[in-house]
Amino acid sequence: MTDRFAKVATEHATARGFCLTSAFWMMVATFMGLLGATELVAPDLVRGVSWLSFGRIRPIHVNLVIFGFVGPGLFAAGFYIVPRMMRTPLFSEKLGLTTVAVWNAVLLAITGSLALGKTQGREYAEMIWIIDVFIVAGLLLMFFNLAMTVKNRKEPVLYVSVWYILAGVILTAVTYALGNVIWQPDTGALVGIPDAILLWFYGHNVFGLFMTPLAAAAAYYVIPRVCRAPLYSHTLSLLGFWALIVVYTHIGTHHLLQVPVPTWLKVVAIVDSVAMIIPVMAFLINIWYTAKGHLGEIHRDIGGKFVFTGTIMYFFVSIQGSMMALPQVQRTTHFNNWVVGHAHIGVFGFAGMIALGALYYILPAISKKPLYSRFLADLQYWLLLIGVTGFAVVLTIAGLIQGGAWLNGETEYRVLAEIHPYYMARGALGVMIFSGAVLGFFNMLMTLVVKRRPVLIPAVSERRGELP
Ligand code: HEM
Ligand code: HEM
């Protein structure tokens, strides 16, 4: 058994494990999204089957896209990038593979428990206590493995990707434990308004301290590599890092502008939501100036193409987000499909596209083989890009119809007929996205498991002078 484990735990085994985890759960997660979308088009479709009801399918979809697809995709990138940048092997591939196994067990448990209706009923924190414990344990094990790799490093300089990865993993472990009120196993909650504040402190940190730093780390690694150009500014990258840590951590209350939370807290959340423009633009200016004059290279590299697209989505979602934090805007956009549109541009268009780009970029290196099919990867890119852009358009329109109608005092159910065509369009786009997920899984699986001629990673990207 130990021998077999040692054989599997070769170089990059952890990155490979998280890569397959991400690709597989992306299929399951998008299928659940598609099922939920179909139920919104035809609410009577699955009558009387409790585990297929919308109220259970929705949290399964949401938690699986975050913890099953985007998270593991970015973990794979992290487990590849940190040893590379530190010029030292990962501290322990065995420990890494153990975390891959724990994480997959967690994902199975999330799917099963939520399908059975075992939920703590707080968004992004639905999972019951025992699952929370394993998620935090998994994150702490990952942090230990990565931090020990940094400790053993041969490279004295800590590139910004390493900062982001370590911070993203440890801060998520802490905010997850806090936000899930892990010291209250029965409810996983405080009571009343303080609970709402704590929940949304955590809820927004799922985007701000989990997905954003890990995606930024991947972009900061992939774009200079693909462009074969040094990063535009290291100083700006650190300014962006600290601005993100300082500003992102206290904007969660912008989810509660319609709730009787203290006004000063709302003001802090609104002001800092607008101030988010500082870390966002520090990151984007740095990446885009690095890419300036190299768009041809980005277009030729499928990983670079996904990642660069993700940065454009980041621009849109952030500008939109800063606007959505203004009370006047939120009067129209809150509680309707506008927010669901924003969520898909962010979690899917930004973090998901960057996760996929990072996976495609590292695949030849972690499998020591060329990508199985560039054509399939390109097809997946277009299916997803059209899908997510379409989502943004139809959900924004549906949201504006709902928001406008409600402001005019229209009864809720009378609006449903008006948004029905948009729900149908979302379902059709969902078929494209789900198909893209299946293609991606097939392509990555074939790259990783099918025996083919090994390749040498282009020597040019290895040269010291070209390291970002
Ligand atoms: C990998 C890509 C995807 C990601 C990252 C993603 C992410 C999310 C997130 C974060 C939410 C919560 C939104 C909120 O509470 O405001 C959500 C909700 C939802 N998503 Fe997705 N999603 C993806 C793909 C899909 C697909 C392919 C479909 C199928 C059409 C879909 C359908 C839905 C539905 C129906 C909801 C519930 C909306 C509601 O409550 O009205 N998603 N998704
Ligand atoms: C400058 C950056 C951003 C700001 C200021 C911002 C602002 C907001 C606001 C105000 C809401 C609440 C809307 C409402 O309930 O009426 C919201 C919701 C949301 N945001 Fe953002 N956003 C930003 C970036 C992002 C990014 C990068 C992601 C994804 C990685 C993201 C994902 C989401 C999701 C999933 C929701 C829905 C939460 C729910 O379930 O209700 N946002 N955002």
PDB file of all heavy atoms in Angstrom, residues 123-124 200 204 207 211-212 248 251 254-255 273 276 280 314 317-318 321-322 324-325 330 334 339 342-343 346-347 350-351, ligand 2:
ATOM      1  N   GLU A 123     -26.354  31.044   3.260  1.00  0.00           N
ATOM      2  CA  GLU A 123     -25.756  30.937   1.931  1.00  0.00           C
ATOM      3  C   GLU A 123     -24.229  30.832   1.986  1.00  0.00           C
ATOM      4  O   GLU A 123     -23.570  31.542   2.741  1.00  0.00           O
ATOM      5  CB  GLU A 123     -26.171  32.118   1.046  1.00  0.00           C
ATOM      6  CG  GLU A 123     -26.076  31.693  -0.412  1.00  0.00           C
ATOM      7  CD  GLU A 123     -26.494  32.765  -1.405  1.00  0.00           C
ATOM      8  OE1 GLU A 123     -26.833  33.876  -0.991  1.00  0.00           O
ATOM      9  OE2 GLU A 123     -26.459  32.463  -2.610  1.00  0.00           O
ATOM     10  N   TYR A 124     -23.672  29.956   1.167  1.00  0.00           N
ATOM     11  CA  TYR A 124     -22.250  29.625   1.096  1.00  0.00           C
ATOM     12  C   TYR A 124     -21.763  28.954   2.385  1.00  0.00           C
ATOM     13  O   TYR A 124     -20.579  28.656   2.510  1.00  0.00           O
ATOM     14  CB  TYR A 124     -21.369  30.850   0.779  1.00  0.00           C
ATOM     15  CG  TYR A 124     -21.831  31.584  -0.455  1.00  0.00           C
ATOM     16  CD1 TYR A 124     -22.554  32.779  -0.355  1.00  0.00           C
ATOM     17  CD2 TYR A 124     -21.585  31.077  -1.717  1.00  0.00           C
ATOM     18  CE1 TYR A 124     -23.016  33.430  -1.487  1.00  0.00           C
ATOM     19  CE2 TYR A 124     -22.043  31.723  -2.854  1.00  0.00           C
ATOM     20  CZ  TYR A 124     -22.750  32.899  -2.733  1.00  0.00           C
ATOM     21  OH  TYR A 124     -23.202  33.541  -3.855  1.00  0.00           O
ATOM     22  N   TRP A 200     -22.154  37.466   6.094  1.00  0.00           N
ATOM     23  CA  TRP A 200     -21.755  38.151   4.864  1.00  0.00           C
ATOM     24  C   TRP A 200     -20.327  38.671   4.894  1.00  0.00           C
ATOM     25  O   TRP A 200     -19.736  38.921   3.845  1.00  0.00           O
ATOM     26  CB  TRP A 200     -22.778  39.214   4.464  1.00  0.00           C
ATOM     27  CG  TRP A 200     -23.926  38.518   3.805  1.00  0.00           C
ATOM     28  CD1 TRP A 200     -25.187  38.336   4.294  1.00  0.00           C
ATOM     29  CD2 TRP A 200     -23.883  37.798   2.561  1.00  0.00           C
ATOM     30  NE1 TRP A 200     -25.931  37.566   3.446  1.00  0.00           N
ATOM     31  CE2 TRP A 200     -25.157  37.222   2.356  1.00  0.00           C
ATOM     32  CE3 TRP A 200     -22.908  37.569   1.596  1.00  0.00           C
ATOM     33  CZ2 TRP A 200     -25.470  36.454   1.239  1.00  0.00           C
ATOM     34  CZ3 TRP A 200     -23.213  36.801   0.486  1.00  0.00           C
ATOM     35  CH2 TRP A 200     -24.482  36.262   0.317  1.00  0.00           C
ATOM     36  N   HIS A 204     -18.719  37.312   1.512  1.00  0.00           N
ATOM     37  CA  HIS A 204     -17.971  38.082   0.521  1.00  0.00           C
ATOM     38  C   HIS A 204     -16.498  37.688   0.483  1.00  0.00           C
ATOM     39  O   HIS A 204     -15.848  37.803  -0.548  1.00  0.00           O
ATOM     40  CB  HIS A 204     -18.146  39.590   0.686  1.00  0.00           C
ATOM     41  CG  HIS A 204     -17.981  40.253  -0.645  1.00  0.00           C
ATOM     42  ND1 HIS A 204     -19.020  40.464  -1.512  1.00  0.00           N
ATOM     43  CD2 HIS A 204     -16.869  40.645  -1.313  1.00  0.00           C
ATOM     44  CE1 HIS A 204     -18.563  40.967  -2.636  1.00  0.00           C
ATOM     45  NE2 HIS A 204     -17.263  41.094  -2.543  1.00  0.00           N
ATOM     46  N   PHE A 207     -15.432  35.245  -2.131  1.00  0.00           N
ATOM     47  CA  PHE A 207     -14.989  35.815  -3.408  1.00  0.00           C
ATOM     48  C   PHE A 207     -13.667  36.562  -3.229  1.00  0.00           C
ATOM     49  O   PHE A 207     -12.763  36.442  -4.041  1.00  0.00           O
ATOM     50  CB  PHE A 207     -16.027  36.799  -3.976  1.00  0.00           C
ATOM     51  CG  PHE A 207     -17.446  36.341  -3.771  1.00  0.00           C
ATOM     52  CD1 PHE A 207     -18.395  37.168  -3.194  1.00  0.00           C
ATOM     53  CD2 PHE A 207     -17.814  35.058  -4.137  1.00  0.00           C
ATOM     54  CE1 PHE A 207     -19.691  36.729  -2.986  1.00  0.00           C
ATOM     55  CE2 PHE A 207     -19.102  34.607  -3.934  1.00  0.00           C
ATOM     56  CZ  PHE A 207     -20.050  35.453  -3.349  1.00  0.00           C
ATOM     57  N   MET A 211     -11.355  33.131  -3.878  1.00  0.00           N
ATOM     58  CA  MET A 211     -11.226  33.038  -5.325  1.00  0.00           C
ATOM     59  C   MET A 211     -10.335  34.139  -5.914  1.00  0.00           C
ATOM     60  O   MET A 211      -9.505  33.884  -6.777  1.00  0.00           O
ATOM     61  CB  MET A 211     -12.606  33.068  -5.963  1.00  0.00           C
ATOM     62  CG  MET A 211     -13.295  31.738  -5.787  1.00  0.00           C
ATOM     63  SD  MET A 211     -14.866  31.708  -6.604  1.00  0.00           S
ATOM     64  CE  MET A 211     -15.926  32.272  -5.338  1.00  0.00           C
ATOM     65  N   THR A 212     -10.504  35.379  -5.433  1.00  0.00           N
ATOM     66  CA  THR A 212      -9.754  36.482  -6.058  1.00  0.00           C
ATOM     67  C   THR A 212      -8.239  36.336  -5.882  1.00  0.00           C
ATOM     68  O   THR A 212      -7.505  36.394  -6.881  1.00  0.00           O
ATOM     69  CB  THR A 212     -10.250  37.847  -5.545  1.00  0.00           C
ATOM     70  OG1 THR A 212     -11.644  37.943  -5.842  1.00  0.00           O
ATOM     71  CG2 THR A 212      -9.517  39.001  -6.204  1.00  0.00           C
ATOM     72  N   TYR A 248     -10.913  44.599   0.865  1.00  0.00           N
ATOM     73  CA  TYR A 248     -11.907  43.559   0.602  1.00  0.00           C
ATOM     74  C   TYR A 248     -12.528  43.011   1.884  1.00  0.00           C
ATOM     75  O   TYR A 248     -13.663  42.546   1.901  1.00  0.00           O
ATOM     76  CB  TYR A 248     -11.269  42.397  -0.182  1.00  0.00           C
ATOM     77  CG  TYR A 248     -12.076  41.963  -1.390  1.00  0.00           C
ATOM     78  CD1 TYR A 248     -11.464  41.708  -2.616  1.00  0.00           C
ATOM     79  CD2 TYR A 248     -13.453  41.789  -1.313  1.00  0.00           C
ATOM     80  CE1 TYR A 248     -12.192  41.320  -3.721  1.00  0.00           C
ATOM     81  CE2 TYR A 248     -14.186  41.404  -2.416  1.00  0.00           C
ATOM     82  CZ  TYR A 248     -13.556  41.172  -3.616  1.00  0.00           C
ATOM     83  OH  TYR A 248     -14.278  40.787  -4.706  1.00  0.00           O
ATOM     84  N   ILE A 251     -16.177  44.702   3.233  1.00  0.00           N
ATOM     85  CA  ILE A 251     -17.252  45.210   2.380  1.00  0.00           C
ATOM     86  C   ILE A 251     -18.473  44.292   2.399  1.00  0.00           C
ATOM     87  O   ILE A 251     -19.473  44.551   1.733  1.00  0.00           O
ATOM     88  CB  ILE A 251     -16.781  45.441   0.922  1.00  0.00           C
ATOM     89  CG1 ILE A 251     -16.328  44.141   0.266  1.00  0.00           C
ATOM     90  CG2 ILE A 251     -15.684  46.474   0.874  1.00  0.00           C
ATOM     91  CD1 ILE A 251     -15.932  44.340  -1.203  1.00  0.00           C
ATOM     92  N   HIS A 254     -22.272  45.139   2.273  1.00  0.00           N
ATOM     93  CA  HIS A 254     -23.021  45.651   1.109  1.00  0.00           C
ATOM     94  C   HIS A 254     -24.092  44.638   0.644  1.00  0.00           C
ATOM     95  O   HIS A 254     -24.911  44.963  -0.187  1.00  0.00           O
ATOM     96  CB  HIS A 254     -22.106  46.111  -0.034  1.00  0.00           C
ATOM     97  CG  HIS A 254     -21.289  45.029  -0.679  1.00  0.00           C
ATOM     98  ND1 HIS A 254     -20.085  45.286  -1.282  1.00  0.00           N
ATOM     99  CD2 HIS A 254     -21.485  43.699  -0.835  1.00  0.00           C
ATOM    100  CE1 HIS A 254     -19.594  44.157  -1.783  1.00  0.00           C
ATOM    101  NE2 HIS A 254     -20.427  43.184  -1.523  1.00  0.00           N
ATOM    102  N   HIS A 255     -24.049  43.427   1.205  1.00  0.00           N
ATOM    103  CA  HIS A 255     -25.118  42.454   0.919  1.00  0.00           C
ATOM    104  C   HIS A 255     -26.329  42.718   1.810  1.00  0.00           C
ATOM    105  O   HIS A 255     -27.360  42.069   1.659  1.00  0.00           O
ATOM    106  CB  HIS A 255     -24.626  41.024   1.157  1.00  0.00           C
ATOM    107  CG  HIS A 255     -23.557  40.604   0.199  1.00  0.00           C
ATOM    108  ND1 HIS A 255     -23.805  39.854  -0.924  1.00  0.00           N
ATOM    109  CD2 HIS A 255     -22.219  40.855   0.182  1.00  0.00           C
ATOM    110  CE1 HIS A 255     -22.675  39.644  -1.582  1.00  0.00           C
ATOM    111  NE2 HIS A 255     -21.703  40.249  -0.926  1.00  0.00           N
ATOM    112  N   SER A 273     -16.428  49.469  -0.967  1.00  0.00           N
ATOM    113  CA  SER A 273     -16.790  48.798  -2.232  1.00  0.00           C
ATOM    114  C   SER A 273     -16.367  49.666  -3.408  1.00  0.00           C
ATOM    115  O   SER A 273     -15.929  49.172  -4.446  1.00  0.00           O
ATOM    116  CB  SER A 273     -18.302  48.560  -2.315  1.00  0.00           C
ATOM    117  OG  SER A 273     -18.713  47.703  -1.296  1.00  0.00           O
ATOM    118  N   MET A 276     -12.632  49.592  -3.842  1.00  0.00           N
ATOM    119  CA  MET A 276     -12.127  48.358  -4.445  1.00  0.00           C
ATOM    120  C   MET A 276     -11.473  48.600  -5.797  1.00  0.00           C
ATOM    121  O   MET A 276     -10.703  47.795  -6.306  1.00  0.00           O
ATOM    122  CB  MET A 276     -13.284  47.353  -4.635  1.00  0.00           C
ATOM    123  CG  MET A 276     -13.530  46.445  -3.455  1.00  0.00           C
ATOM    124  SD  MET A 276     -12.118  45.438  -3.049  1.00  0.00           S
ATOM    125  CE  MET A 276     -11.981  44.455  -4.525  1.00  0.00           C
ATOM    126  N   VAL A 280      -8.321  46.446  -7.670  1.00  0.00           N
ATOM    127  CA  VAL A 280      -8.721  45.887  -8.958  1.00  0.00           C
ATOM    128  C   VAL A 280      -7.869  46.477 -10.080  1.00  0.00           C
ATOM    129  O   VAL A 280      -7.283  45.755 -10.894  1.00  0.00           O
ATOM    130  CB  VAL A 280     -10.228  46.152  -9.221  1.00  0.00           C
ATOM    131  CG1 VAL A 280     -10.595  45.801 -10.652  1.00  0.00           C
ATOM    132  CG2 VAL A 280     -11.097  45.360  -8.248  1.00  0.00           C
ATOM    133  N   TYR A 314     -13.044  40.296 -14.969  1.00  0.00           N
ATOM    134  CA  TYR A 314     -12.797  40.872 -13.641  1.00  0.00           C
ATOM    135  C   TYR A 314     -13.058  42.373 -13.674  1.00  0.00           C
ATOM    136  O   TYR A 314     -13.622  42.943 -12.733  1.00  0.00           O
ATOM    137  CB  TYR A 314     -11.344  40.588 -13.225  1.00  0.00           C
ATOM    138  CG  TYR A 314     -11.029  40.980 -11.796  1.00  0.00           C
ATOM    139  CD1 TYR A 314     -11.868  40.619 -10.743  1.00  0.00           C
ATOM    140  CD2 TYR A 314      -9.871  41.688 -11.481  1.00  0.00           C
ATOM    141  CE1 TYR A 314     -11.573  40.964  -9.429  1.00  0.00           C
ATOM    142  CE2 TYR A 314      -9.566  42.030 -10.165  1.00  0.00           C
ATOM    143  CZ  TYR A 314     -10.424  41.668  -9.157  1.00  0.00           C
ATOM    144  OH  TYR A 314     -10.142  42.009  -7.861  1.00  0.00           O
ATOM    145  N   VAL A 317     -16.942  42.782 -13.781  1.00  0.00           N
ATOM    146  CA  VAL A 317     -17.655  42.405 -12.554  1.00  0.00           C
ATOM    147  C   VAL A 317     -17.337  43.386 -11.425  1.00  0.00           C
ATOM    148  O   VAL A 317     -18.194  43.681 -10.586  1.00  0.00           O
ATOM    149  CB  VAL A 317     -17.354  40.938 -12.151  1.00  0.00           C
ATOM    150  CG1 VAL A 317     -16.001  40.776 -11.493  1.00  0.00           C
ATOM    151  CG2 VAL A 317     -18.438  40.417 -11.222  1.00  0.00           C
ATOM    152  N   SER A 318     -16.131  43.912 -11.422  1.00  0.00           N
ATOM    153  CA  SER A 318     -15.755  44.799 -10.321  1.00  0.00           C
ATOM    154  C   SER A 318     -16.396  46.173 -10.474  1.00  0.00           C
ATOM    155  O   SER A 318     -16.901  46.746  -9.500  1.00  0.00           O
ATOM    156  CB  SER A 318     -14.238  44.953 -10.249  1.00  0.00           C
ATOM    157  OG  SER A 318     -13.662  43.693 -10.123  1.00  0.00           O
ATOM    158  N   GLY A 321     -19.853  45.646  -9.608  1.00  0.00           N
ATOM    159  CA  GLY A 321     -19.999  45.432  -8.162  1.00  0.00           C
ATOM    160  C   GLY A 321     -19.943  46.743  -7.396  1.00  0.00           C
ATOM    161  O   GLY A 321     -20.754  46.989  -6.502  1.00  0.00           O
ATOM    162  N   SER A 322     -18.984  47.605  -7.751  1.00  0.00           N
ATOM    163  CA  SER A 322     -18.883  48.884  -7.041  1.00  0.00           C
ATOM    164  C   SER A 322     -20.177  49.681  -7.207  1.00  0.00           C
ATOM    165  O   SER A 322     -20.654  50.325  -6.267  1.00  0.00           O
ATOM    166  CB  SER A 322     -17.705  49.706  -7.572  1.00  0.00           C
ATOM    167  OG  SER A 322     -16.497  49.053  -7.270  1.00  0.00           O
ATOM    168  N   MET A 324     -23.154  48.340  -7.737  1.00  0.00           N
ATOM    169  CA  MET A 324     -24.237  47.635  -7.025  1.00  0.00           C
ATOM    170  C   MET A 324     -24.225  47.889  -5.518  1.00  0.00           C
ATOM    171  O   MET A 324     -25.182  47.578  -4.826  1.00  0.00           O
ATOM    172  CB  MET A 324     -24.122  46.125  -7.262  1.00  0.00           C
ATOM    173  CG  MET A 324     -24.624  45.684  -8.609  1.00  0.00           C
ATOM    174  SD  MET A 324     -23.907  44.083  -9.058  1.00  0.00           S
ATOM    175  CE  MET A 324     -24.459  43.057  -7.734  1.00  0.00           C
ATOM    176  N   ALA A 325     -23.088  48.403  -5.027  1.00  0.00           N
ATOM    177  CA  ALA A 325     -23.025  48.689  -3.593  1.00  0.00           C
ATOM    178  C   ALA A 325     -23.651  50.045  -3.263  1.00  0.00           C
ATOM    179  O   ALA A 325     -23.790  50.399  -2.094  1.00  0.00           O
ATOM    180  CB  ALA A 325     -21.568  48.657  -3.127  1.00  0.00           C
ATOM    181  N   GLN A 330     -28.908  49.708  -5.859  1.00  0.00           N
ATOM    182  CA  GLN A 330     -29.401  48.452  -5.285  1.00  0.00           C
ATOM    183  C   GLN A 330     -30.923  48.428  -5.117  1.00  0.00           C
ATOM    184  O   GLN A 330     -31.526  47.358  -5.050  1.00  0.00           O
ATOM    185  CB  GLN A 330     -28.716  48.178  -3.957  1.00  0.00           C
ATOM    186  CG  GLN A 330     -28.488  46.694  -3.760  1.00  0.00           C
ATOM    187  CD  GLN A 330     -27.725  46.353  -2.514  1.00  0.00           C
ATOM    188  OE1 GLN A 330     -28.327  46.143  -1.470  1.00  0.00           O
ATOM    189  NE2 GLN A 330     -26.416  46.269  -2.600  1.00  0.00           N
ATOM    190  N   HIS A 334     -31.274  44.712  -6.243  1.00  0.00           N
ATOM    191  CA  HIS A 334     -31.224  43.733  -5.153  1.00  0.00           C
ATOM    192  C   HIS A 334     -32.355  42.708  -5.285  1.00  0.00           C
ATOM    193  O   HIS A 334     -33.432  43.028  -5.753  1.00  0.00           O
ATOM    194  CB  HIS A 334     -31.333  44.474  -3.814  1.00  0.00           C
ATOM    195  CG  HIS A 334     -31.037  43.612  -2.618  1.00  0.00           C
ATOM    196  ND1 HIS A 334     -29.839  42.960  -2.451  1.00  0.00           N
ATOM    197  CD2 HIS A 334     -31.783  43.298  -1.535  1.00  0.00           C
ATOM    198  CE1 HIS A 334     -29.851  42.286  -1.310  1.00  0.00           C
ATOM    199  NE2 HIS A 334     -31.021  42.473  -0.733  1.00  0.00           N
ATOM    200  N   VAL A 339     -28.360  40.244  -9.767  1.00  0.00           N
ATOM    201  CA  VAL A 339     -27.290  39.760  -8.883  1.00  0.00           C
ATOM    202  C   VAL A 339     -26.802  38.377  -9.341  1.00  0.00           C
ATOM    203  O   VAL A 339     -25.599  38.072  -9.294  1.00  0.00           O
ATOM    204  CB  VAL A 339     -27.763  39.720  -7.415  1.00  0.00           C
ATOM    205  CG1 VAL A 339     -26.647  39.244  -6.507  1.00  0.00           C
ATOM    206  CG2 VAL A 339     -28.251  41.090  -6.977  1.00  0.00           C
ATOM    207  N   HIS A 342     -24.438  38.992 -12.093  1.00  0.00           N
ATOM    208  CA  HIS A 342     -23.157  39.452 -11.525  1.00  0.00           C
ATOM    209  C   HIS A 342     -22.372  38.254 -10.968  1.00  0.00           C
ATOM    210  O   HIS A 342     -21.166  38.129 -11.202  1.00  0.00           O
ATOM    211  CB  HIS A 342     -23.462  40.479 -10.428  1.00  0.00           C
ATOM    212  CG  HIS A 342     -22.296  40.867  -9.587  1.00  0.00           C
ATOM    213  ND1 HIS A 342     -21.335  41.770  -9.999  1.00  0.00           N
ATOM    214  CD2 HIS A 342     -21.935  40.487  -8.326  1.00  0.00           C
ATOM    215  CE1 HIS A 342     -20.434  41.934  -9.037  1.00  0.00           C
ATOM    216  NE2 HIS A 342     -20.774  41.162  -8.023  1.00  0.00           N
ATOM    217  N   ALA A 343     -23.088  37.379 -10.262  1.00  0.00           N
ATOM    218  CA  ALA A 343     -22.430  36.212  -9.647  1.00  0.00           C
ATOM    219  C   ALA A 343     -21.770  35.341 -10.716  1.00  0.00           C
ATOM    220  O   ALA A 343     -20.643  34.877 -10.538  1.00  0.00           O
ATOM    221  CB  ALA A 343     -23.452  35.397  -8.865  1.00  0.00           C
ATOM    222  N   GLY A 346     -18.666  36.958 -12.161  1.00  0.00           N
ATOM    223  CA  GLY A 346     -17.545  36.908 -11.213  1.00  0.00           C
ATOM    224  C   GLY A 346     -17.012  35.501 -11.024  1.00  0.00           C
ATOM    225  O   GLY A 346     -15.854  35.207 -11.335  1.00  0.00           O
ATOM    226  N   VAL A 347     -17.869  34.620 -10.509  1.00  0.00           N
ATOM    227  CA  VAL A 347     -17.372  33.295 -10.122  1.00  0.00           C
ATOM    228  C   VAL A 347     -16.991  32.474 -11.360  1.00  0.00           C
ATOM    229  O   VAL A 347     -15.989  31.761 -11.368  1.00  0.00           O
ATOM    230  CB  VAL A 347     -18.428  32.548  -9.273  1.00  0.00           C
ATOM    231  CG1 VAL A 347     -17.906  31.193  -8.838  1.00  0.00           C
ATOM    232  CG2 VAL A 347     -18.810  33.375  -8.056  1.00  0.00           C
ATOM    233  N   PHE A 350     -14.774  35.353 -14.329  1.00  0.00           N
ATOM    234  CA  PHE A 350     -13.452  35.767 -13.827  1.00  0.00           C
ATOM    235  C   PHE A 350     -12.693  34.564 -13.222  1.00  0.00           C
ATOM    236  O   PHE A 350     -11.749  34.048 -13.809  1.00  0.00           O
ATOM    237  CB  PHE A 350     -13.627  36.912 -12.820  1.00  0.00           C
ATOM    238  CG  PHE A 350     -12.509  37.074 -11.827  1.00  0.00           C
ATOM    239  CD1 PHE A 350     -11.198  37.264 -12.258  1.00  0.00           C
ATOM    240  CD2 PHE A 350     -12.754  37.053 -10.450  1.00  0.00           C
ATOM    241  CE1 PHE A 350     -10.157  37.404 -11.338  1.00  0.00           C
ATOM    242  CE2 PHE A 350     -11.722  37.201  -9.530  1.00  0.00           C
ATOM    243  CZ  PHE A 350     -10.423  37.371  -9.969  1.00  0.00           C
ATOM    244  N   ALA A 351     -13.179  34.077 -12.046  1.00  0.00           N
ATOM    245  CA  ALA A 351     -12.386  33.067 -11.332  1.00  0.00           C
ATOM    246  C   ALA A 351     -12.362  31.729 -12.085  1.00  0.00           C
ATOM    247  O   ALA A 351     -11.308  31.070 -12.171  1.00  0.00           O
ATOM    248  CB  ALA A 351     -12.949  32.886  -9.918  1.00  0.00           C
TER     249      ALA A 351
HETATM  250  C1  HEM B   2     -15.060  45.480  -6.783  1.00  0.00           C
HETATM  251  C2  HEM B   2     -15.455  44.273  -6.639  1.00  0.00           C
HETATM  252  C3  HEM B   2     -16.860  43.860  -6.288  1.00  0.00           C
HETATM  253  C4  HEM B   2     -17.843  44.551  -5.650  1.00  0.00           C
HETATM  254  C5  HEM B   2     -17.779  45.966  -5.100  1.00  0.00           C
HETATM  255  C6  HEM B   2     -18.993  43.676  -5.572  1.00  0.00           C
HETATM  256  C7  HEM B   2     -20.211  44.030  -5.019  1.00  0.00           C
HETATM  257  C8  HEM B   2     -21.274  43.188  -4.841  1.00  0.00           C
HETATM  258  C9  HEM B   2     -22.530  43.551  -4.218  1.00  0.00           C
HETATM  259  C10 HEM B   2     -22.876  44.938  -3.715  1.00  0.00           C
HETATM  260  C11 HEM B   2     -23.291  42.444  -4.175  1.00  0.00           C
HETATM  261  C12 HEM B   2     -24.672  42.312  -3.521  1.00  0.00           C
HETATM  262  C13 HEM B   2     -25.747  42.642  -4.445  1.00  0.00           C
HETATM  263  C14 HEM B   2     -27.099  42.531  -3.827  1.00  0.00           C
HETATM  264  O1  HEM B   2     -27.375  41.584  -3.063  1.00  0.00           O
HETATM  265  O2  HEM B   2     -27.924  43.392  -4.142  1.00  0.00           O
HETATM  266  C15 HEM B   2     -22.541  41.369  -4.788  1.00  0.00           C
HETATM  267  C16 HEM B   2     -22.985  40.080  -4.924  1.00  0.00           C
HETATM  268  C17 HEM B   2     -22.209  39.058  -5.394  1.00  0.00           C
HETATM  269  N1  HEM B   2     -20.912  39.150  -5.860  1.00  0.00           N
HETATM  270 FE1  HEM B   2     -19.853  40.824  -6.101  1.00  0.00          FE
HETATM  271  N2  HEM B   2     -18.696  42.486  -6.160  1.00  0.00           N
HETATM  272  C18 HEM B   2     -17.395  42.552  -6.588  1.00  0.00           C
HETATM  273  C19 HEM B   2     -16.673  41.556  -7.216  1.00  0.00           C
HETATM  274  C20 HEM B   2     -17.066  40.246  -7.251  1.00  0.00           C
HETATM  275  C21 HEM B   2     -16.242  39.165  -7.708  1.00  0.00           C
HETATM  276  C22 HEM B   2     -14.823  39.317  -8.207  1.00  0.00           C
HETATM  277  C23 HEM B   2     -16.970  38.029  -7.566  1.00  0.00           C
HETATM  278  C24 HEM B   2     -16.590  36.623  -7.853  1.00  0.00           C
HETATM  279  C25 HEM B   2     -15.392  36.142  -7.791  1.00  0.00           C
HETATM  280  C26 HEM B   2     -18.266  38.415  -7.026  1.00  0.00           C
HETATM  281  C27 HEM B   2     -19.290  37.542  -6.739  1.00  0.00           C
HETATM  282  C28 HEM B   2     -20.495  37.898  -6.224  1.00  0.00           C
HETATM  283  C29 HEM B   2     -21.552  36.941  -5.964  1.00  0.00           C
HETATM  284  C30 HEM B   2     -21.508  35.428  -6.202  1.00  0.00           C
HETATM  285  C31 HEM B   2     -22.629  37.661  -5.445  1.00  0.00           C
HETATM  286  C32 HEM B   2     -23.986  37.100  -5.040  1.00  0.00           C
HETATM  287  C33 HEM B   2     -24.055  36.893  -3.583  1.00  0.00           C
HETATM  288  C34 HEM B   2     -25.395  36.349  -3.179  1.00  0.00           C
HETATM  289  O3  HEM B   2     -25.523  35.129  -3.176  1.00  0.00           O
HETATM  290  O4  HEM B   2     -26.295  37.140  -2.889  1.00  0.00           O
HETATM  291  N3  HEM B   2     -18.288  39.760  -6.864  1.00  0.00           N
HETATM  292  N4  HEM B   2     -21.304  41.856  -5.184  1.00  0.00           N
END
